Amino acid sequence: MPTEHDPERPAAPVAAVIFDFDGVIVDSVRPDLLACRALYREYGGGELSRSWWAEQVCGRPAGYDCLFERLLAVRSAAGAARPGHGQLRRRLGELWEEYLTEEYVRLLPAVPETVEGLRSAGLPLGIASAADGAWVRRWLTRYGLSRHFTAVVTGDDVPARKPDPAVYREALRRLGVPAGACVAFEDSLSGVAAARAAGVTVVAVPTPTTRFLDHSSAHAVLPDLSAVSPRWLARAGRAGW
């Protein structure tokens, strides 16, 4: 964690801030877990382990295929029929329609205040998300946050998704800042890896669903965004992250 250092020491300049979306701006992580658990139970897999889901599915490009293979292995062991990945994906899509709704997808703590404070201080803000653009724009609009972000880059805009750094590199290009002058906030291990691969200083802000994972590859770890301000960024920079 960043600590207080000599206040006379010059702060490391931060020229822009980039946020991941799912798990940092909105909590869609828990609803996704609920949908996956519902699928797993429906197809005879029993109770899906939260720890296994967090490690193998959450934030991983091939995570849902991994989930399907685990479920099919359970069904095979029980002598049950093996539905195809297409069938499982269609059913998961239906469950997403049930769980990824306003009832479940909520803003995470301190998001409006943090975004407003950073933007008011003149810091350009960006989104770097592996999600589809329509999904990100839907919730930015729903919660009145679109006006704060200079650059919104999603999985639709890049050839490869996290942990590939492409989405961060594109966000940096649109913001017009070098990687070394940018700080990112991420919740997933794949997101932390993507930001680091792009050369960006990254702060992990894991959700309660994934907080037990090892986020030590990030430069710093916070429980939420409530402490983040221009002053906090300057202090963290002086502390060397």
Side-chain angles (χ1 to χ4, degrees), residues 114 117-118 121 123 228-235:
T114 300
L118 296 177
L123 282 170
V228 178
S229 66
R231 185 180 180 188
W232 183 89
L233 290 171
R235 288 177 174 176

Side-chain angles (χ1 to χ4, degrees), residues 61-149:
Y64 298 113
D65 286 325
C66 186
L67 172 68
F68 300 154
E69 283 301 318
R70 179 183 172 94
L71 179 54
L72 292 174
V74 171
R75 290 181 64 83
S76 291
R82 288 172 54 94
H85 278 219
Q87 179 180 337
L88 294 174
R89 191 171 294 276
R90 284 191 296 275
R91 180 55 184 147
L92 181 58
E94 293 169 352
L95 290 165
W96 281 336
E97 290 293 323
E98 178 180 345
Y99 286 102
L100 294 177
T101 63
E102 292 186 11
E103 180 181 355
Y104 294 97
V105 178
R106 302 292 180 84
L107 277 179
L108 281 156
V111 167
E113 302 91 331
T114 300
V115 169
E116 177 71 39
L118 296 177
R119 189 63 175 147
S120 296
L123 282 170
L125 306 182
I127 295 285
S129 173
D132 296 342
W135 167 263
V136 174
R137 289 189 294 272
R138 169 188 174 184
W139 295 104
L140 286 176
T141 300
R142 166 64 181 83
Y143 289 115
L145 297 175
S146 300
R147 60 192 174 90
H148 294 299
F149 294 97

Side-chain angles (χ1 to χ4, degrees), residues 2 30 154 160:
R30 180 176 175 273
T154 70

Side-chain angles (χ1 to χ4, degrees), residues 145-223:
L145 297 175
S146 300
R147 60 192 174 90
H148 294 299
F149 294 97
T150 303
V152 176
V153 185
T154 70
D156 297 337
D157 301 314
V158 291
R161 305 198 181 199
K162 299 173 186 177
D164 189 281
V167 70
Y168 272 101
R169 290 174 177 158
E170 178 61 17
L172 291 167
R173 186 190 70 80
R174 295 188 189 184
L175 289 167
V177 298
C182 187
V183 175
F185 292 90
E186 276 282 356
D187 71 299
S188 71
L189 300 184
S190 62
V192 170
R196 292 210 63 149
V200 175
T201 297
V202 57
V203 179
V205 191
T207 68
T209 307
T210 58
R211 194 160 288 161
F212 66 93
L213 296 176
D214 180 6
H215 289 83
S216 60
S217 57
H219 294 89
V221 181
L222 292 176

